[in-house]
Amino acid sequence: MSLLKQLASSLGTVVGILTLLVALIAAILTYFDSSDPVEYPSMAEDMKTLEENFRVQNKSCFILGASGESGKVLLQELLERNIFSKITLIGRRMLTFEDEAYKNLVQEVVDFEKLDDYAAAFQGHDVGYCCLGTTRAKAGAEGFVRVDHDYVLKSAELAKAGSCSHFHLESSRGADKNNNFLYLKVKGQVEAEIEALGFDRLSVYRPGVLLVDRVESRPLEWLSRKFLSAWSSVFSTSMAIPIQAVARAIVSNTVRPSEQKSEILEHKHIAALGKGAGN
């Protein structure tokens, strides 16, 4: 009897995996991005010049969410390209780094439930990067809204009051404040509310599925990411993008001049900018 239960359980797992793969293939075929690719003329040649021009301005920045996958990779990209004279990490705990490249980082530990008490941590930064985020599965509906909306919005408000001129927000493909899906609705709401704060420049990034091996990934989540990674290496889709490409795009967009006060970079724009920066 026990053997039969094990076989049934194994069969259920296999069926679940196959179902997931079929669903993923269907989703990719449905949402395959057939639009013309976005191009950034001469970007590879100009990027070094743009970075140097930006570097000599001796600007400073802060990163929210540097302990997460997106923030971690963004920090690595910023350190490698060395465009800021000072980088501050704002988070709920001190982070430990062994590499020598991290030795000059400044860290500010805050309580996100009492952010007004830590307003000083947000003062004096020219550029701000927000990679804060969680999931409903991990934090519950209430916890998700608290992190992805409340913490993010309050941080943006303090950054604006602290003279931050360029704020970068990592959002999600499909973000829409009128969407019935909680995740996309919250993402859209916080985008709109931060835009209303009136930063000199606001850059919102809406990538698709981020390709990264999360430590806490469930087996099926891990499998789906591997599948999308393999697929995206052959086909250009609007579904997935390597997290490194997103970080490259964000840093490249930081040094690129823009006449727009508020800009939204959709998935294909991020992919093009991230790919060009990697050349």
Side-chain angles (χ1 to χ4, degrees):
M1 195 68 175
S2 177
L3 179 60
L4 289 176
K5 287 183 178 180
Q6 291 180 0
L7 289 174
S9 177
S10 298
L11 181 59
T13 300
V14 172
V15 171
I17 292 174
L18 291 176
T19 301
L20 176 62
L21 290 177
V22 171
L24 285 171
I25 293 174
I28 290 172
L29 292 177
T30 300
Y31 292 101
F32 190 86
D33 190 0
S34 58
S35 59
D36 294 334
V38 178
E39 296 182 357
Y40 293 90
S42 304
M43 188 185 67
E45 292 78 4
D46 294 342
M47 190 53 60
K48 288 186 177 181
T49 300
L50 290 173
E51 289 180 3
E52 182 57 33
N53 291 339
F54 189 93
R55 188 177 295 116
V56 297
Q57 298 177 54
N58 292 317
K59 292 188 175 185
S60 64
C61 76
F62 69 81
I63 302 176
L64 288 160
S67 62
E69 297 295 342
S70 294
K72 188 185 306 180
V73 176
L74 174 60
L75 174 58
Q76 293 172 347
E77 186 72 15
L78 287 172
L79 289 173
E80 288 177 7
R81 293 167 72 170
N82 190 31
I83 61 172
F84 289 104
S85 60
K86 178 182 177 182
I87 298 177
T88 300
L89 309 184
I90 301 177
R92 58 185 177 83
R93 60 184 174 86
M94 292 288 290
L95 302 180
T96 302
F97 303 101
E98 296 181 358
D99 196 296
E100 190 72 8
Y102 296 83
K103 67 177 182 179
N104 293 323
L105 292 176
V106 176
Q107 297 197 52
E108 296 282 356
V109 177
V110 302
D111 182 347
F112 283 99
E113 293 293 333
K114 303 175 182 178
L115 273 181
D116 282 321
D117 295 342
Y118 300 88
F122 293 86
Q123 294 178 355
H125 306 287
D126 300 292
V127 180
Y129 299 97
C130 184
C131 300
L132 282 179
T134 186
T135 64
R136 184 171 181 172
K138 191 174 181 180
E142 185 178 340
F144 164 69
V145 174
R146 183 181 297 112
V147 174
D148 285 58
H149 179 274
D150 300 350
Y151 293 175
V152 169
L153 180 58
K154 174 53 70 173
S155 296
E157 290 174 349
L158 293 175
K160 179 65 169 62
S163 300
C164 174
S165 59
H166 189 183
F167 193 80
H168 299 259
L169 174 65
E170 184 180 48
S171 185
S172 172
R173 183 176 184 269
D176 181 357
K177 64 182 180 180
N178 297 315
N179 199 296
N180 291 324
F181 181 41
L182 180 64
Y183 181 84
L184 298 179
K185 181 177 182 177
V186 169
K187 292 294 187 181
Q189 287 176 335
V190 79
E191 284 183 9
E193 289 168 322
I194 290 178
E195 182 179 9
L197 295 178
F199 281 98
D200 291 347
R201 183 180 175 189
L202 170 64
S203 299
V204 177
Y205 304 88
R206 293 178 175 175
V209 177
L210 297 177
L211 298 176
V212 54
D213 291 330
R214 298 184 189 278
V215 176
E216 72 273 12
S217 289
R218 297 181 178 87
L220 288 182
E221 181 185 351
W222 177 86
L223 180 62
S224 67
R225 291 180 187 280
K226 288 296 184 182
F227 177 81
L228 282 171
S229 179
W231 184 281
S232 65
S233 67
V234 180
F235 301 100
S236 174
T237 79
S238 60
M239 289 292 292
I241 185 171
I243 196 168
Q244 292 81 4
V246 176
R248 287 195 298 268
I250 292 175
V251 178
S252 293
N253 194 47
T254 299
V255 302
R256 290 176 63 242
S258 175
E259 297 181 357
Q260 292 181 298
K261 187 176 180 66
S262 179
E263 58 186 353
I264 295 178
L265 280 75
E266 297 289 356
H267 180 95
K268 64 180 182 179
H269 299 92
I270 298 170
L273 190 53
K275 181 180 179 180
N279 290 340

